[in-house]
Amino acid sequence: MEELTVTWTKAIRIWWSWFWRSMAYTLPVAFLFGFIVGISGQATNIDATTMAFITQLSGGLIGVFFAIFALKRVLAKSFNGYRIALVKKTDVSTSTVEA
């Protein structure tokens, strides 16, 4: 298996592929959820501080979920005939990654 050097161009292409997907999923869902929560909060007379906390927390969670979802999609994508692969190191004893 040929291992390529990570260049700025390659890193930016992969980052952009992840970023636009992440935003395309997150923004509409977070906007819709915030709108629904805002309308519900007004209807039930929940105070603005509580509503702000609920919408910010849920928006953050929505963002994290879709960022991971987009990353999973990017990992399965091809980039000019190449793809990103997770490869287990042959010498496991020197690994510094902990799960």
Side-chain angles (χ1 to χ4, degrees):
M1 178 184 320
E2 179 185 0
E3 187 171 332
L4 301 176
T5 304
V6 179
T7 64
W8 280 102
T9 304
K10 291 174 188 164
I12 290 169
R13 284 189 59 167
I14 293 166
W15 171 82
W16 179 249
S17 181
W18 165 80
F19 179 77
W20 79 260
R21 283 174 173 79
S22 180
M23 291 297 105
Y25 300 136
T26 300
L27 292 177
V29 173
F31 177 79
L32 181 62
F33 184 81
F35 181 76
I36 291 169
V37 169
I39 295 296
S40 301
Q42 286 293 325
T44 58
N45 292 325
I46 297 176
D47 66 292
T49 305
T50 303
M51 289 305 300
F53 176 75
I54 291 170
T55 55
Q56 289 173 359
L57 179 64
S58 58
L61 292 173
I62 289 168
V64 168
F65 172 78
F66 281 116
I68 294 168
F69 179 77
L71 180 61
K72 186 176 181 304
R73 299 226 12 190
V74 167
L75 289 173
K77 182 184 178 321
S78 284
F79 296 90
N80 256 359
Y82 295 97
R83 66 180 178 86
I84 301 170
L86 302 176
V87 180
K88 186 173 182 173
K89 294 173 74 172
T90 55
D91 185 12
V92 180
S93 63
T94 61
S95 177
T96 59
V97 177
E98 296 179 15

